[in-house]
């Protein structure tokens, strides 16, 4: 085995601490002049790639990739500050952002170009919450997949993944190449400190376009309308036990 | 105060810059953090004993790690709250 060549896709999303607002035309969420950061689940996948290397597993390269507006490069810098060796930025305008299938098609091409044999993705992004890219990528490549990983161990060519499922855990073993998506309890991502961000500026960052991969990805989905969830209705106070029973019967709970 | 060790002086400046950078994400805002950080450093300005300065540098490093842990926990908790069923 020549070593792992890990590909880690990262996404620039609205920061988790920001409350998203729907824009006035109800077509999307307001993104201009809103704080953005790396998708928390992608931080987990970078961290896992770096930890595999720190566990003395032969990791040949860790490549971070992001498709998006020029500011996605900041996110790639963060990824490189956390330990990725290089970054690839695929320029995509904000208004025609890629859909999960488009991302999966792009990643499939990148995997071929980079000769990656392990792709570690976040299980979902906190903005679209589609949770589809990893699965679609595994399907396109015809690779094994392990989603929602809470523990990843590599021995030679076989990867063992413990994943969280309803009511317990499931252990999967598969041979490389493989697609893994991360769950929240996989690890504790490190902080991208200032000195590391500075060092990351010296790491290589490739700039690509969709056309470089021979892709023409139009929108297949149409957003009909975006609205805020309805505000929570207040509860009612009941006077006594009989009142409560009456209310419960009225609601069909008894 | 020019007699202090230039190496230590540089270390103090470096940790100050690092903390300032981290402060940009501080929950109560950058301004809140910046004024307090500045006060904490300026109040130790009179120190000239090298051992004493080294001790304070260690403390600064401890604070840096604490803030990192705070950020991690805050993020983890809000993610768990949003995405876990319980």
């Amino acid at each position: 085995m020549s070593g792992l060549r890990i590909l880690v896709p990262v996404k620039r999303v609205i920061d988790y601490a920001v409350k998203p607002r729907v824009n006035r035309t109800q077509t999307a969420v307001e993104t201009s002049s809103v704080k953005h950061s790396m998708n928390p689940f992608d931080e987990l996948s970078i961290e896992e790639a770096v930890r595999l290397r720190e566990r003395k597993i032969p990791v040949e390269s860790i490549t971070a990739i992001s498709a998006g507006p020029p500011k996605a490069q900041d996110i790639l810098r963060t990824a490189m500050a956390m330990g990725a060796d290089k970054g690839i930025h695929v320029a995509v305008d904000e208004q025609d952002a890629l859909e999960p299938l488009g991302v999966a098609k792009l990643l499939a091409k990148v995997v071929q170009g980079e000769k990656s044999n392990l792709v570690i993705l976040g299980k979902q992004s906190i903005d679209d919450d589609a949770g589809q890219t990893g699965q679609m990528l595994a399907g396109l490549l015809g690779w094994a997949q392990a989603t929602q990983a809470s523990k990843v161990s590599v021995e030679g060519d076989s990867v063992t993944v413990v994943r969280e499922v309803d009511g317990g855990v499931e252990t999967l073993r598969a041979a490389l190449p493989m697609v893994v998506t991360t769950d929240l309890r996989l690890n504790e991502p490190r902080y991208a400190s200032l000195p590391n961000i500075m060092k990351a500026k010296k790491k290589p960052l490739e700039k690509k376009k969709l056309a470089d991969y021979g892709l023409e990805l139009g929108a297949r989905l149409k957003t009909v309308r975006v609205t805020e969830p309805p505000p929570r209705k207040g509860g009612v106070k009941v006077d006594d036990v009989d009142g409560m029973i009456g209310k419960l019967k009225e609601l069909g709970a008894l | 105060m020019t007699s202090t060790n230039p190496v230590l002086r540089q270390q103090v400046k470096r940790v100050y810059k690092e903390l300032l950078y981290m402060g940009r994400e501080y929950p109560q805002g950058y301004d809140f953090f910046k004024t307090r950080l500045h006060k904490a450093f300026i109040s130790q300005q009179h120190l000239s004993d090298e051992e004493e300065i080294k001790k304070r540098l260690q403390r600064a490093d401890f604070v840096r790690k604490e803030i990192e842990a705070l950020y991690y926990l805050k993020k983890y908790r809000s993610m768990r709250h949003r995405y876990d069923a319980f």
Side-chain angles (χ1 to χ4, degrees):
Chain A
M1 199 185 77
S2 59
L4 287 171
R5 296 179 59 88
I6 306 177
L7 184 71
V8 186
V10 293
K11 185 173 185 182
R12 174 177 177 267
V13 298
I14 294 178
D15 191 76
Y16 79 99
V18 176
K19 191 178 185 303
R21 298 261 169 229
V22 175
N23 67 6
R24 203 163 300 143
T25 49
Q26 294 201 328
T27 49
V29 167
E30 198 64 65
T31 52
S32 55
S33 70
V34 171
K35 189 188 169 203
H36 283 66
S37 54
M38 194 197 293
N39 179 25
F41 290 108
D42 298 341
E43 287 180 351
L44 290 156
S45 39
I46 291 273
E47 178 67 26
E48 191 58 24
V50 177
R51 285 196 187 191
L52 284 174
R53 171 174 279 166
E54 285 170 354
R55 266 186 254 144
K56 304 277 181 256
I57 288 161
V59 175
E60 207 179 304
S61 69
I62 302 173
T63 308
I65 176 167
S66 190
K71 278 186 180 160
Q73 289 178 13
D74 300 344
I75 304 303
L76 284 169
R77 292 278 170 224
T78 313
M80 289 190 273
M82 289 173 75
D85 300 324
K86 68 164 184 167
I88 302 174
H89 174 233
V90 183
V92 175
D93 280 343
E94 197 145 4
Q95 60 266 27
D96 37 41
L98 299 177
E99 291 163 5
L101 181 61
V103 178
K105 281 179 177 167
L106 168 66
L107 291 177
K109 294 273 184 201
V110 176
V111 161
Q112 282 168 9
E114 297 291 316
K115 297 186 181 60
S116 314
N117 53 8
L118 180 65
V119 186
I120 309 180
L121 306 90
K123 67 167 177 174
Q124 64 192 147
S125 65
I126 61 165
D127 53 356
D128 288 338
D129 284 316
Q132 299 167 343
T133 310
Q135 290 86 329
M136 285 178 174
L137 177 64
L140 287 175
L141 291 166
W143 291 7
Q145 61 168 318
T147 54
Q148 268 108 305
S150 63
K151 190 173 184 294
V152 176
S153 42
V154 180
E155 280 163 43
D157 254 352
S158 88
V159 183
T160 308
V161 175
V162 178
R163 54 190 298 264
E164 291 184 13
V165 291
D166 286 343
V169 291
E170 182 181 54
T171 308
L172 295 176
R173 185 174 298 132
L176 291 172
M178 191 168 179
V179 175
V180 175
T181 72
T182 61
D183 206 347
L184 194 54
R185 270 172 290 281
L186 181 60
N187 55 41
E188 298 92 46
R190 67 197 64 190
Y191 185 79
S193 66
L194 182 61
N196 285 340
I197 295 260
M198 289 305 171
K199 277 181 219 153
K201 289 196 172 158
K202 295 201 182 75
K203 290 187 179 177
L205 179 70
E206 282 176 34
K207 287 173 191 143
K208 298 270 192 184
K209 284 197 275 306
L210 280 178
D212 296 339
Y213 295 102
L215 289 169
E216 189 75 50
L217 300 166
R220 298 164 70 104
L221 303 173
K222 187 173 154 227
T223 303
V224 181
R225 196 153 41 93
V226 180
T227 50
E228 305 226 359
R232 189 176 168 275
K233 288 194 191 81
V236 272
K237 237 177 189 172
V238 290
D239 297 324
D240 49 14
V241 176
D242 289 338
M244 184 176 78
I245 292 170
K247 267 277 179 231
L248 285 174
K249 276 192 177 145
E250 200 179 296
L251 293 166
L254 278 180
Chain B
M1 296 299 290
T2 46
S3 60
T4 42
N5 188 339
V7 179
L8 280 179
R9 189 179 157 76
Q10 206 209 342
Q11 279 177 4
V12 170
K13 278 167 88 173
R14 192 191 302 150
V15 80
Y16 184 67
K17 270 185 198 164
E18 241 176 86
L19 285 166
L20 259 187
Y21 176 78
M22 297 180 81
R24 299 194 309 181
E25 284 168 55
Y26 202 71
Q28 278 136 303
Y30 183 52
D31 289 329
F32 176 91
F33 186 87
K34 199 170 70 174
T35 44
R36 266 143 213 264
L37 182 69
H38 186 256
K39 219 190 268 171
F41 271 72
I42 213 83
S43 68
Q44 306 300 323
Q45 195 186 25
H46 60 276
L47 292 179
S48 52
D49 179 31
E50 290 201 359
E51 281 311 306
E52 195 66 18
I53 294 175
K54 274 181 195 157
K55 228 182 259 171
R56 302 300 159 103
L57 273 170
Q58 270 173 11
R59 186 171 154 69
D61 207 47
F62 169 77
V63 170
R64 183 180 61 78
K65 282 183 192 149
E66 287 284 297
I67 297 174
E68 274 181 25
L70 165 79
Y71 287 172
Y72 167 70
L73 261 183
K74 186 166 176 275
K75 190 177 282 183
Y76 173 77
R77 285 195 178 136
S78 45
M79 296 308 287
R80 197 187 60 176
H81 183 74
R82 279 177 215 173
Y83 287 103
D84 276 2
F86 51 89

